[in-house]
Amino acid sequence: MNSTKMIGIALIVAGLLGVSLGGFSFTKETHKASLGPINLSVAEEKKVNIPLWASIAAIVAGAAVLVAGSKR
C-alpha cells in the first residue's frame, strides 16, 4: 500500500470520527495560588468542537486522494 492510499484512508477515518464525535474534550489544570507549601489549583474541562463542514471536507479530500492514487 503506497503513501497516497494511506493518507486518503487517514483523512476518511479522521472525517468519520469528526462527524460521529463532533469534538473532543480535555482537562486543563491551572495553578491559582501558592501559599508556602500549599498550592491551590483548579482543573477545568475544555471542549473543542469540530465543525461538520471540516469533517465532510476531510472525507471528500480522502476520497479524492484515493481516486487520484488509484489512477496511477
Side-chain angles (χ1 to χ4, degrees), residues 12 41-42:
I12 291 172
S41 63
V42 176

Side-chain angles (χ1 to χ4, degrees), residues 29-52:
E29 186 172 326
T30 56
H31 298 284
K32 293 292 185 184
S34 179
L35 302 170
I38 300 172
N39 290 327
L40 299 174
S41 63
V42 176
E44 57 182 307
E45 187 172 332
K46 303 260 184 177
K47 181 158 176 56
V48 178
N49 293 324
I50 300 173
L52 183 62

Side-chain angles (χ1 to χ4, degrees), residues 4 7-9 11-12 57-71:
T4 57
I7 291 171
I9 291 171
L11 281 171
I12 291 172
I59 294 170
V60 170
V65 168
L66 279 178
V67 168
S70 67
K71 287 187 178 182

